[in-house]
Each structure stands twice: as structure tokens, then as C-alpha cells.
Amino acid sequence: MVWFVRRHDWHQQVEIAAAGVSPIETDQLIPNPNFPWLQLQMRTDLYLNKKGQPASLERDARLVALVEKHAAKDVAMAASAHAMSPQIVREILITHLSVQPGTIYGLTTLLRTIIVAHHVKPSAVSEVEARWARLLAPFSDPGSADVVIDLQQVVESFLMGVPTDLILYPHVLVFVRRACTQFAGRLKILKANGRWSQAYIITAWLSTLIDSGRSHEQLVLEQLLDGSFPNWRIWAGWRPNRNRLSLWEAFGDERRVSLRDLLALEGPDFEGHGKMTFCEGLCAQVARPPQSTIRRGDLHLQLKTGSASEAQAVLNRLLFSLDASCKAGPDDLRLLRYLFVGKLIENRAFEILEGVRTMEDASVSSWVLEIFTACDEHGKAPVVGMMRLLPALNTERGVILREALMGYLVEAIPNCIGEIQRTLKRHLLAGGPWDATAIKLQILGKHLREASWLRPQLGASLQLLTDNWPSLADIKELYRLKLDAQSMGYKSTDPLMKKIHGYCLDCLVTPNIIDAPTRRLIGILIGIWQQPPENDHRAIALAAVHHLDSHQALCNQCLEQLPALTNGFAHSLRVILECFTQDSKNSCIQLARLLASTPFTDATTCWRPVLHRMMEKQKSKLIDWSFMELPVDTWLQWLADLGYVFAGLMRSPQLFRPAFLRPNLYQWGQRLAVYLPTLQRLESVTNSEPALKCIMMGCEEPLSNVIVQCLDLLESYKKEYQQPAMQSIIIMLTLDGHNLREISEALSRLSVATPDGVDTCVRVMELYKQGTASGVAGAILAGWLQASDLFKEDLAALKAVSVALGVQLDAQGSPAAANIEEAADYLDNEVAVLLAEAQRLENLRLSCRALDPDGVSRLLAELRIEAPSALEDAVASLPAALVDVVEKVGEHEVELNLPLTHLTPVQRIALGAGSSPSLLVRLILGDGGLPPGFCLHLDDETHDSAQNMPGSFPTTTINTSHSHSPCIVFDGDSEPEWPFCHGRTNRMTYQLARILSRHLRNGLQPLEKIHDLLTNSLKQLAQGCMVCGTPIEARLVRSTLCQSPACRTILNRAHPDLHLADIREDPTVVDLLLTALYAVAISGQSSKLLLPGCTAKITDEGLQLLDILPPLSQLQNVTDLSSALKGKGGIASERLLAWVCSNYNGFLVSASPKLRIPSMPGVHQFVLVNAAPAVEIAFRSRMGSQSTRALFHGTSLDRLHAILGQGLQVLSGTGLQRHGASLGNGIYLAEEPATSWGYSAVSKSWRHSAFHNVRVVLGCEVVDPTQYLSRVPGTYVVTDPSMVMVRYIFLVSATATAPLARHVTPAMESSFASLRSGAV
């Protein structure tokens, strides 16, 4: 019989009573004391009472049905097991909750239910079954595959008894096999990683299985172990040295893996000999039969006798080495691995390890290992290890190790020396640093010389080489010599550097590759460098080697004498030799002076070859330079010094003497010495170099006597009027002396001429010296020769001078006619030069006056020179192009006329220029210390258009001619904010006034600069802030403000006419803006969203202002807007109009004829010439070089203010969305105006507006709209607002018909291009 139980009865009551509490504690797997056992059992009892206490069979059937239907079997069993018979309880567990052995699905439920059944019905489920259930529970979850099973606990539980009728018996067998397999796997991993201590800890209990009895459970367990853990008996018989295993724990994981075959010696005997360790098993293996080698993985033993005792001894020694390496450093362990892992283990390996331990130095292992590694890699040199190991081996502690390493050392040392020598040679050839390598080689040789135990094993050649190596001090000084030479400019290719490198190679690498003089030279230099660091001596030594590189013996002689030199002589010699490279000629002069002036003749004799070499390098350049550059006294002194230094050698060509020094030049110098004062006076005369050179070089006889005669004349006649003339004649002496006799004759005649005659001769010579043509000089000379007031001595002197000058005259002393014309041209040119100089002085006066007018005026007054006024100077200095632009209008006033005829109608509206053809700028240049001033006017303005300017003004003004009140600019003044003269304020005059004020703060500038400033500023007004002038990145047509709040504050203080200029220039635009404002006021929408930046509340009060505002046509031409608005809202109306006209930060105009779109009759058209700067910048950055297209957008007037200030925005999904967004979020645009017509709303307007019942359609310029084409043809959904720019605002009457796109878009796109190019 099947019982059907209603779910909402017993099951519901049990769930309520259980309250979500589990009957089993999850952690300990024991019955939960907090579980409501009795309450659940009472629910079952109540259920049975309701059923009339059925008989036992019926009761069991009903309860079985309840358990089967209940989701939580353990809870159902806790509630009903007490009322079931034990057989039925077991039947439920075995039949209804059965689980296939080896699977885990449903096993958890079974185990938990068994524990609950034992708790409620112990007669049905035994304690053994509950215990196994608890044991199996942690491994019954799907995620328990990796959970570690405690095999020891499992085995102990199994041996306690496992009845075959156990509910979980099949599961227990599977679980035991799983535990064995898992345990075997863990041991395999531990064995592979050398973790024998851990392996012993978890296997020590296995030995108890061998000693246990032979019960049924024991037999079953052994079968299970044999099947899943075959080598368990080997592990059970393992008896290692536990202290050793604990000691080996000091090895890291990586070390244990590398040594695993060696560490396995203390592991189980897997050889199958039944020994307690693998080591004992190997020994038993060797004995049957005897073996000379043992190979197990990386363990290779070399035996002599092959006996078990020998094998045991070797293995014990190996185990001891492993024990000793546990606490050693990483280098010791690497050495042990090198010696024992994968190599035949011989007695020498143990000796090496013993020797290393005896050294008690942790670094020795790394040095030894380096040597072994190098020996394995044939030809490699263990340089570092060898250099460090040899000193250690030379100690008493190194005896054992050096005996063990002898063969390796004998093999490695020649390689080390050869490697260092090759490295040294490479460094020397490459010119790089080699000192460290040379020192390393020397140190290695020193260690070898000290190793008496090793030297007999080395070859004789190697011993001889190391014995002859230079000392460490010699090598260091040699390298310091090389560095000093490099610091003084020596290159690797210089002879000295080659000799240093050769010496180093000769001493340390290849003997006898340099000659004896070179070896002696370097030895001397090393000796000098080993002395206390006398910089003079070292520098002199290097210089001497440089100058005497081809005279080795002389060089060595000079170097050997260095210590005997005095400090003063040595210092001077050093300075001279060091300067030779930069100033070779002066160095020769100074060295000759030094050698001639020293009292030590040995020094002169020793170092004069150096002087000779220095002079020979100069060749003829030295004598030429000395004639041209040396003062006369220095030149004569040099000749005397050379005569002293080379005394006795001057007349011996085969001995040392300069080849260019003529023997008679020295005698000629002695002859000239008596004329030194005369020669010095001549030297001071300009352009006397050729003449002096001719005199100092001398000539062959008899011309040399003529030179002496000239010098005698110069020496004898020293009168004040004679010396200039005679000096002027003597300097005409040519370098080769061909005009020497003519010069001598002229000097002779001048010596007897009168002062007037001498003066005449001087004038003729000045003309000649100025480069005047000889014909001009001849013509003027002829005139003087015909003068009647000259004596015959003077005439003779003139004729002699003319001959010396080469002037040609006829027999009568007259010049040719051509010479006369040439002289006339010369005089005309002189007059022109004078006039040009006068103009230059006038320009200089003007420049100085601009800087210091008062000072220049005082200076001219002191000089009694009439000074023009500042205004006259300014006008006179104007370039021709500005003569018609600048007009003098007063004593201190000028007026600049700036034409405005080039402005387009749109630009005129932007500037507020109206129809004026020009702008007039009146400048006050200042008088009596008054600063400059100015005023600006359109040329069609009259005094009647003067503004009413109530209140006080911050700008200083004065009354000038014609009732002007210009702004006077004092240093430190701020820019003008209100009008200061007659005329109406507009954007152009407001901005230019501030620019000009800033420019004049530092005083008056030239009129040309002011004109350039105003002209350039007029072109760029829209590209800067109209208050501070800060550049604005956007390309605008009408100027606006930058982001500075201070500029907004200043502009708010400006005259109302500046804010309300659009009422006069384009009142229709103001009407449109007021209409948009009115639409917001009556819409009920938030003014913060639709009127961004508006501080006024658009309420009923705002509507009242619009209702009382007069028609704009009445305000357009009134003289004073403020007066016209009195009674019409007054100041409040002014503020409202000012905000409406300026807040959107763009430039909106009524469409001019050029911009008006045809085919749209009756439509009011407006053009947004430029939007707000941020909107313009964003759009232009998107546009780049891409094409644009005209599209349309329908909207309502209440949105117009926000659109003008911020551009079209994506408002889909916001409170400002007017229509649906069926095509997605974005700005909806259409190709056809008719489409947008349908989305524009008809709006009302303010009382006196011209626009009533109109709708708004926007003409937009869109960048590459194809990417935004929607699925509806002709409709675009633009998601990026910066891709759209509103250009046209069309106000359409409610009854108007939309034109076709093809009739209007070409004209619109043409207008777009015109707006971008600035053509309109």
C-alpha cells in the first residue's frame, strides 16, 4: 500500500519545528545538542495519533513514505526513526538512500542520516556504523578529491573491526583503497623531493602492521595494501638514522632535489634486500658479486676492492660529507654537488672537501669550484678564483687542500696568466684602461713567487717571466704616467703612449719587444713619478718627451737633470712648454729668455735642443710672426737671447741652429739696438708695420747704410712740427725696401723745411693716407706748388714727398685735366658726407629727445642751438605713407584718420561702426610735463550725439581745442570704463580706448607705432577679450569676454549704450531675443535650464516689464536710452535688455541680402554669425577638413536662448525632451524643412513685438552627417552636439508652407562657407 501524505501537514510542521537547524554539527559530525529532537518526534507522534495509532506495519509504511517525500532526509529520520522498527530504519538506509560504491553523489546524505539514525535508534544502527560514517563524511563532498586522508586512522579503525553486514561496508573498502593510493602518491612525491624526514614521520606506524596478528581484518587489510600500496612492507621495514634525517632538514627544497640520489642512501631499501636503509642494501648488493662501481641515478661510486666493507666506508664518508654540508653555505653545497652528483666519487673528492672545511673560509668553496669549472671547459681561465685561492693555500691551513688540488692548479695557472696577458694586450691596443689588468697580473705573479710548494711544478719560462715582472708600485706609477699624459692631450697614437704600452707588454707579456733606450726612458719617467708629486717636474717631463721624441738620448739627458732644476726655473719651464701647443711662437720667445737669463749654464746647455726643436717646427712662420707681432724692444731682446743661447753654434751649420736665422741678422739686431727709442716712437704710429719689418730685417749693403741714415734723421730732428711729417714719410717704406732712397730723400728735405712747408706736406700725405686717388692728391699738390708764400726749401720738400708718394706731375708742376675733374668730384663727395653726418646728428637728437626731452632741450640751449617742439619732431619723423593720415590740429594735438571702408555690413554691426567711413583718433602729445592723452570718435559723430554721463568718472580728462575732453593717461592708471569725450560708446571705441590706454601708460610712443597698434588692433578686436585683451582661441566676428569674472564685473559697469548697442544697430534681433525670453516666462519651465546664466527671476514682474516696454523702433534713434526708459521700467528694463543682448555670448544678426536665403518668402531670417567661443571651438575642432551639410531642426521659442548660448544639446530622456526618441537618444535633424516644420511649436510674443504666432526652424551646419543617418530616410540622429552648429533661425508664420530642401540648402551651404572665410 502506498501512502500519500499532504505536504502542508507533517512536512510543514517538521520544517517549522526544525527552524533551519541541522541535526548534525558540521565540524565534529556529532548530533547537534541544539537541534529540537523531541519537538520533531512530538510532531510525528501527533501525526500518528491523528491517524488513530495504526498498527506497526501500517505505521512503518506511513513513516517510510514521509521520509521518502521529505527533502532533508536527516531531519525526516530525526523526526520519525524513534517510531519505526529497527529493520525499517536499516531498510531505508540500505534501500532508499543507497549510493553506488566509489561515487560521492548522495553519499553525504546517507552518512548524515546514519549518524542521526544511530542517535535516535541505536538498536537499528550500531556505534561502529556511526563511527565509519563520521570517518567517511569529510571525504564525501564533490570538492573533497584533494583532501588528505589519514591512512593511519583508517587502518586503526579497520583493524578495530568491520562487520560484513555493515551498511557502509562497500564504501569502507573503496575508501581504504583510496587512502592507500593517496598515501603511496604522497610518499612518491616526498621521495622525489628528498623529504626523507617527513616521509619517516608519516610512515613510522607502518611497522606495527608487520608485528600485528593474523585476524580476518588483518588479512583483508593486507590485501587492500598490496593492491593499492605494493611497497608498503619496504616502508614498514625502514629504520633510518633519525638524527641524520632531522639534520638534513636544513637543506632547502631546491638543494634536496639536486641531492636526492645521495640523500636516498638514508631512505628505504628499494633494492629488495630487506635492509633497514638503502645504504645497507647497496652494500649487500656490492658483495654479491663484488663490483668496482656502483651507479644509482646520480650516485656513482668508484671502489678498489669491491668489497662490502669498502662500499660501506665510502658511503659512510659520503653521508658524513652530506651531514657536514647541511649547515654550510651555498658555495659549499655547490662544490659538494659538483664533486658527488653525477661523477665517480673518488678519494680525492673527499680530500678536497676536507681541505675546504679545514680552511674555515666560506669563500674557498666558490674559488675551488671556479677552478674545476674552468678545467672542465678547456682553455677557460679561473682568474678570480685563482688569485683569491693561492694566498689561502700558502697558509698552514691550506696544506691539505693544495695537495688535493695540485694537478688542477698546474693546469689552470698558465691559462690564468695567458688570459690576463691577452686581456692586457687587448686593453693596450684599444687604448682603454689597463691598470687593473696589469695589477692583477702582477699580484698573481707575486702569489706564485710566494708559493714555494707550487713553483717546481711550473715551467722554467713561466718562473723566469714572473721573476722579472715589475713591482706593483712601478705598475701603478706607470699607469698614473699614462693618465697624466692623457690629461695633457696625448693620444694613444702619440709616441709616448706607444712607448708606455710597449714597456708594459715587454715587462708583463712578451719580453724584449722594445729597445734599451725606450726601456731606460720609461724607467726614468717611472722614477720621476715615484717621487713626491711635483707637478712641474711631471709636466716638464711629458713636454720634453713630446718635443724630443726623435732624440731619445737628449730626451733622457733632460729628464735625468730634472731633479737638479730650481723650483722657479722648473715652474717657468713648465708654463712655457705647456703653452707651446696654443701659443707656440710666444713659447719660443719665452724659452729663449728663460735660458738666457738663468745663471745655471748646465740648464741652458741641456734645454737649448728643446728650444731648437720648437723653433724648427715653426720654420719661417716664427720669424714672420716676430716681425709683425713683437714690439721692437722684445724683438731685439729675443735676438740677443738667441745669440746667447746658441753662442758658438750660430756659425756652424752642421750643429744646432735654426735654419732660418741668418748669421748677419744677429749683428743687425745689435746695430739697431742703439735706435730703440726712435724705433719705439715709430712703432706707435698707425700702419707702420711694413716699414718696421723692413728696418728690422735689414738689407744688403749699401742699402743697410741708407736705413741707418733714415734712423739718424729721425733721431736728430725731433722738433714738434717735424716728427709727424717725418713719421708719415718713413711708414711709407715698403716691405722690400725698393723706395728706401726716395724715403731717405724726403726725410732729408723735410728736416730743413719751414713749419708751413712741413704742414703742407702733412696735408698732402693725409690725403694719400685716406686712400684718395693719386690724381686727386696730384691736383691738390699742384695747387700748393704754385703757392707764392712757400720757400724753396718747402717746395723741394713738397717735390720730394710727391716722388715718395708716386704722384705724377708735368714739367711745369701742373696736373692733367682729368686729375682736376677727379679732384672736383672728390670735393663734392666730401660735401655730401658732411650733409649725411648732419642728418645723422639730427636723427640722434630725435632719438635722445624721445628718451629724455628735458635733458636734450637743456643741452641744446647750453649749446645755443634752436630746438623744434616735440610735436614738430613727431610729425617730421613720419614715413611718407602716414603723411596723409596724421594731421596737426593744435599746438600739442594731432589727429589720426583710420579708414573703415573695408568693413562689411556684418562687421560694422559687430563693431558698432554704423555707416561711418573712418575712425578719428585725437592724440595729446603732452606739454609742460603733462602725460599723453587721447579720444576716439567716428567721423560722422557730432557734439549733439554726446552722451549723458551722470556721476563721477575714474578717467582723468581735460578740455582741448574744439571742446574735446580726451583721456589723460597717467602711469599706473586703469583703463577707461565710461565715455570721456563726446560721441556714443560702441564696442570698437570701448576696446580701442582700453588698448591705447594700456599702451600709453609708459609714456608717449612714436606716432608710427601708435598707428600700427591701432590698425592691427582694429583687425583683431574680435580675437581678444573686450576688457583685458586676453586672446580667445575661437575665430569670432564680434568680440566678447574671456572667462575671468573680473572682466564681467568691469563690463557690467560700462555705459548702457555699450550693452544696448544692438537696439540701435539691429533692433529686430533684440525683438527676437525678447520674444524668446517671453516664451520662457509663459512656459512654466525652469528659467535656470532655459535661460542659463540668468540671475533675474522671470516671473509675473518680468512679464510686466515686457508689457510696459515701448516698441524698439522708438528706442532705436533716441539720444539717451536711459531717459527714454524712464517710466518704462527704468533701471530694471535697462538690466533686462542688457542681459538679453549679451548673455548668449554670440553674435546674431538679421540676415543681410548676401546671407538671405531665397525661396522663403514671408520668413524672418536671422544668422548666428558666431556662437559662444566654447561652442565655436568645439565645432571647428570636429570639422577640421571635413565637409559639412545643411540640415533642419524644429523647436520652440522658449528653447532659443539656451540654444544660442550652448548650441543644440542631447536632451533625450530628460525633463526638457519635447518629443519621443523612437530612433534613439540624440539631436534629431531632417533634410527637408517640412519635416522640421512639424516639430516646431507656434509661440506668442510680448506686447510690442513684431513676431506673433510664429514657429521656429533652425538651419544647422552639420559635420559629416552620414554617420548619423537613421533608419528613417532623410532623418539624422546626432549623438555628439559638437558636430552641429546652428547658423540660421527662421521665424515662420503659422500658415506658411515649407520650401523644398533643394531650393534652399545650396544657398545655405554657400553662406556657411562665406561665414567661415570671413567674406561677409
Side-chain angles (χ1 to χ4, degrees), residues 960-1036:
T960 63
S961 58
H962 310 296
S963 301
H964 281 274
S965 300
C967 172
I968 303 302
V969 183
F970 289 92
D971 185 16
D973 271 1
S974 59
E975 296 88 343
E977 298 180 6
W978 270 59
F980 43 81
C981 197
H982 68 268
R984 184 175 290 116
T985 299
N986 54 54
R987 287 178 180 262
M988 176 174 60
T989 57
Y990 179 82
Q991 281 185 261
L992 288 178
R994 297 183 68 84
I995 293 171
L996 189 54
S997 175
R998 288 193 291 268
H999 185 71
L1000 294 178
R1001 282 176 182 168
N1002 297 324
L1004 183 66
Q1005 303 294 321
L1007 294 178
E1008 183 179 1
K1009 288 187 177 180
I1010 296 176
H1011 178 270
D1012 291 343
L1013 171 71
L1014 294 172
T1015 303
N1016 294 331
S1017 299
L1018 193 57
K1019 295 176 182 178
Q1020 302 293 329
L1021 281 183
Q1023 308 312 314
C1025 173
M1026 62 185 300
V1027 173
C1028 67
T1030 301
I1032 295 176
E1033 295 182 14
R1035 293 176 56 185
L1036 306 178

Side-chain angles (χ1 to χ4, degrees), residues 177-191:
R177 292 190 189 98
R178 175 183 170 187
C180 292
T181 302
Q182 189 184 80
F183 191 73
R186 288 180 62 195
L187 290 177
K188 184 177 180 181
I189 293 173
L190 293 174
K191 175 185 174 184

Side-chain angles (χ1 to χ4, degrees), residues 1230-1280:
E1231 293 179 356
E1232 288 293 337
T1235 303
S1236 301
W1237 233 258
Y1239 289 92
S1240 59
V1242 176
S1243 301
K1244 296 181 180 180
S1245 187
W1246 60 291
R1247 179 181 178 186
H1248 293 295
S1249 173
F1251 309 123
H1252 290 281
N1253 297 322
V1254 293
R1255 64 178 73 229
V1256 182
V1257 176
L1258 305 178
C1260 304
E1261 183 179 7
V1262 185
V1263 179
D1264 188 20
T1266 56
Q1267 58 182 313
Y1268 300 111
L1269 183 62
S1270 71
R1271 64 176 179 271
V1272 177
T1275 303
Y1276 300 81
V1277 181
V1278 180
T1279 57
D1280 185 355

Side-chain angles (χ1 to χ4, degrees), residues 1111-1250:
L1112 296 179
S1113 58
Q1114 295 180 11
L1115 299 176
Q1116 183 176 10
N1117 297 314
V1118 299
T1119 302
D1120 187 354
L1121 282 172
S1122 297
S1123 299
L1125 290 173
K1126 286 183 178 179
K1128 305 294 184 180
I1131 298 298
S1133 295
E1134 278 187 29
R1135 291 175 179 171
L1136 182 64
L1137 288 169
W1139 184 88
V1140 166
C1141 292
S1142 62
N1143 179 69
Y1144 66 99
N1145 250 6
F1147 180 30
L1148 184 66
V1149 299
S1150 300
S1152 62
K1154 288 186 178 181
L1155 294 174
R1156 190 168 185 81
I1157 307 303
S1159 302
M1160 298 183 76
V1163 175
H1164 299 282
Q1165 300 183 25
F1166 300 88
V1167 179
L1168 186 60
V1169 180
N1170 65 253
V1175 179
E1176 286 284 347
I1177 292 172
F1179 179 74
R1180 288 187 179 272
S1181 67
R1182 286 292 193 180
M1183 182 174 67
S1185 59
Q1186 299 185 76
S1187 61
T1188 61
R1189 184 176 176 182
L1191 297 176
F1192 299 90
H1193 177 79
T1195 185
S1196 57
L1197 272 170
D1198 61 342
R1199 312 298 173 95
L1200 186 58
H1201 253 292
I1203 292 172
L1204 291 176
Q1206 301 175 346
L1208 284 170
Q1209 299 294 317
V1210 177
L1211 298 177
S1212 303
T1214 70
L1216 294 179
Q1217 177 179 323
R1218 294 183 61 246
H1219 301 285
S1222 60
L1223 301 180
N1225 294 343
I1227 301 169
Y1228 282 64
L1229 301 168
E1231 293 179 356
E1232 288 293 337
T1235 303
S1236 301
W1237 233 258
Y1239 289 92
S1240 59
V1242 176
S1243 301
K1244 296 181 180 180
S1245 187
W1246 60 291
R1247 179 181 178 186
H1248 293 295
S1249 173

